[in-house]
């Protein structure tokens, strides 16, 4: 249920062209209240979040590279020091995905697909609980990187429900362009949830208030956040 809730919250963010960039268990909170006595799942810590600077959401601010927690970070975000991902080119101070064209519209945008990778790592971690995240992250990087094998990937994903393995496998692709949209991941998880508990996952996407408009990325005095206008966003992300 918690994974479905986080996926639902990420769909909410991505629909608004906002990338979280620090998806990990430490940023998933659970309170002890309703609904159904199981508490509410919250996606927390938007301090590293960045917003798209164009309608298509394909532009990646150079300052976003290297943001996040290393064990959960997508390969294209590990450049550090402003280094671009291999598939990007610099346009007017921002990293644009190669081949995006003049309009820059690609689904899902490069920026958002970094969240998809981090979610995939977290999903494998919480569904297996078999090793420290530092070891698991290294194994996932090796298995799903250029030198990885199908046998390595299958072994790491074997503990997961069979219906989830294909979408999580794609989520962990070293090639951002091969990762699915977060909506696809959510739909797969929601279907498994419904099959397991006998009722549909109730994502309150039709009842949440309108979030505060998100501004373009700007320098942050704290060195990590992007200076986004996100003050009203956390309060609309609880998912039962």
């Amino acid at each position: 249920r918690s994974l479905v809730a986080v996926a639902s919250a990420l769909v909410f963010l991505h629909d608004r062209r906002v990338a979280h960039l620090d998806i990990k268990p430490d940023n998933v909170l659970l309170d002890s209240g309703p609904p159904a006595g199981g508490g509410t799942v919250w996606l927390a810590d938007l301090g590293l979040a960045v917003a798209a600077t164009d309608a298509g959401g394909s532009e990646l601010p150079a300052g976003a590279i290297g943001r996040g927690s290393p064990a959960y970070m997508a390969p294209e975000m590990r450049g550090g020091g402003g280094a671009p991902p291999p598939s990007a080119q610099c346009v007017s101070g921002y990293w644009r995905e190669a081949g995006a064209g003049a309009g820059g519209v690609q689904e899902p945008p490069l920026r958002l697909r970094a969240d998809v990778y981090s979610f995939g790592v977290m999903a494998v971690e919480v569904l297996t609980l078999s090793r420290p995240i530092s070891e698991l992250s290294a194994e996932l990087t090796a298995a799903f990187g250029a030198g990885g094998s199908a046998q390595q990937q299958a072994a790491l994903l074997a503990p997961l429900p069979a219906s989830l393995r294909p979408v999580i496998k794609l989520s962990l692709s070293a090639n951002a362009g091969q990762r699915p949209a977060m909506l696809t991941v959510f739909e797969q998880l929601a279907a498994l949830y419904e099959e397991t508990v006998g009722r549909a996952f109730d994502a309150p996407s039709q009842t949440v208030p309108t979030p505060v408009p998100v501004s373009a990325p700007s320098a942050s005095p704290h060195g990590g956040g992007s200076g986004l206008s996100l003050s009203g966003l956390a309060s609309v992300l609880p998912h039962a």
Side-chain angles (χ1 to χ4, degrees):
R1 183 174 70 94
S2 295
L3 283 174
V4 189
V6 173
S8 178
L10 280 172
V11 171
F12 179 89
L13 285 175
H14 288 188
D15 281 348
R16 288 151 180 81
R17 290 296 187 261
V18 175
H20 188 283
L21 295 185
D22 200 17
I23 300 300
K24 59 183 179 181
D26 288 355
N27 289 335
V28 178
L29 309 180
L30 178 65
D31 66 31
S32 57
T40 299
V41 179
W42 299 78
L43 177 58
D45 192 355
L46 294 164
L48 298 182
V50 293
T53 57
D54 65 326
S58 66
E59 291 191 343
L60 182 67
I65 300 295
R67 287 186 183 180
S69 299
Y72 301 90
M73 197 181 294
E76 69 272 15
M77 300 298 288
R78 297 174 187 165
S87 61
Q89 57 188 356
C90 188
V91 179
S92 302
Y94 291 88
W95 296 114
R96 180 182 292 276
E97 186 173 6
V105 178
Q106 292 198 353
E107 289 293 340
L110 178 65
R111 170 203 323 284
L112 305 185
R113 282 177 277 185
D115 280 347
V116 175
Y117 182 93
S118 300
F119 182 88
V121 175
M122 184 176 71
V124 175
E125 179 187 14
V126 301
L127 291 173
T128 60
L129 297 176
S130 59
R131 59 181 71 76
I133 182 57
S134 58
E135 295 180 13
L136 176 62
S137 177
E139 292 179 18
L140 290 172
T141 299
F144 289 89
S149 67
Q151 291 77 11
Q152 288 175 294
Q153 297 172 9
L156 287 168
L157 299 182
L160 276 61
S163 59
L164 280 188
R165 292 172 199 160
V167 72
I168 297 299
K169 179 178 179 179
L170 288 176
S171 298
L172 292 169
S173 175
N175 183 342
Q178 294 179 354
R179 295 178 208 143
M182 200 64 227
L183 178 60
T184 301
V185 179
F186 165 73
E187 289 173 343
Q188 294 286 330
L189 284 165
L192 179 62
Y193 177 88
E194 182 173 2
E195 177 184 331
T196 302
V197 304
R199 62 183 177 87
F201 178 79
D202 182 20
S205 58
Q206 303 303 315
T207 58
V208 294
T210 301
V212 174
V214 178
S215 64
S218 60
S220 169
H222 303 293
S226 58
L228 303 180
S229 177
L230 292 171
S231 58
L233 195 53
S235 64
V236 301
L237 292 179
H239 285 71

